[in-house]
Amino acid sequence: MFQEREVDYHALGENIRRARLECNLTQAELAEAASCNTTHISNIENNYTKVSLPTLIAISNALDTSVDYLLREQYNDNKTGVESEILLEMNRLDEKERDLLCTDPQKLDLKI
């Protein structure tokens, strides 16, 4: 049976902040890439406002990550977000890197 849950906006904001810092982006740079303003990014990261779905998608695209990954704690089984991020990283590899992943993955510099 489906149990409706509230979105944990605090965890979501923390995940956005963490992903932004991993990308070495400022809030202003993320805001520009996501077509919103710096104050809005700050408010999302600090759980002062709820992020809309279109803005979340824009932020996710700007961070080159998936919405699943940003929402990973929201799932009953949070492996879903991690698996999504692994697939996303694998899709970024070129053919040579994919071959290397299968034969000698330690030679790749992956952020997984």
Side-chain angles (χ1 to χ4, degrees), residues 27 37-50:
Q27 287 180 340
N37 64 53
T38 305
T39 303
H40 193 51
I41 295 295
S42 176
N43 287 338
I44 292 167
E45 288 185 355
N46 291 295
N47 193 28
Y48 295 142
T49 190
K50 295 179 180 180

Side-chain angles (χ1 to χ4, degrees), residues 16-68:
I16 290 170
R17 179 191 324 271
R18 193 173 304 114
R20 176 179 60 77
L21 293 173
E22 286 174 6
C23 291
N24 296 312
L25 293 174
T26 65
Q27 287 180 340
E29 291 167 332
L30 176 56
E32 183 177 332
S35 299
C36 61
N37 64 53
T38 305
T39 303
H40 193 51
I41 295 295
S42 176
N43 287 338
I44 292 167
E45 288 185 355
N46 291 295
N47 193 28
Y48 295 142
T49 190
K50 295 179 180 180
V51 62
S52 68
L53 184 56
T55 301
L56 180 58
I57 291 169
I59 289 170
S60 174
N61 287 334
L63 294 171
D64 201 22
T65 192
S66 68
V67 172
D68 279 350

